Amino acid sequence: MPGLLRGVARTAVVAGTATAVSNRVSRRQAGRWAQQDAQQVVYAEPAPPPQAPAQTGAPSMEEKLEQLQQLAALKEKGVLTEQEFAAQKARILGG
């Protein structure tokens, strides 16, 4: 019986040591990977800013009329003065 008990105790010690070593290696690897991820984030190039959609040319007559109607509504509400309205109207019709 003492031989059997000694064998079981030895197996328990070996298994416990292997588990402890395995856990230590896993933690060390996880720390290294986290450090590498942090470095990659720091050195990553920033994404280019989104570009505004390109206009296909001069606004159509419908778009100009809509803008003029919006300006007229703002003038009626008192948001725009007569001079501001005239300046914006000239910009829309001239553009």
Side-chain angles (χ1 to χ4, degrees):
M1 197 68 140
L4 181 64
L5 189 58
R6 192 176 316 161
V8 170
R10 183 179 301 149
T11 302
V13 168
V14 169
T17 303
T19 302
V21 169
S22 174
N23 288 340
R24 187 177 302 149
V25 168
S26 295
R27 281 193 302 267
R28 190 177 298 162
Q29 277 184 330
R32 286 180 184 165
W33 290 339
Q35 189 178 26
Q36 286 176 352
D37 289 344
Q39 288 175 350
Q40 287 176 355
V41 170
V42 170
Y43 296 117
E45 290 186 24
Q51 296 180 353
Q55 292 187 356
T56 58
S60 68
M61 185 55 75
E62 291 176 6
E63 292 172 340
K64 289 180 180 182
L65 289 174
E66 184 178 327
Q67 289 176 349
L68 288 173
Q69 288 173 348
Q70 290 173 352
L71 280 176
L74 290 173
K75 180 182 163 203
E76 288 176 13
K77 291 180 183 178
V79 176
L80 294 177
T81 64
E82 185 66 39
Q83 293 82 16
E84 292 170 332
F85 175 76
Q88 291 299 319
K89 179 179 162 185
R91 181 188 61 83
I92 291 170
L93 294 177

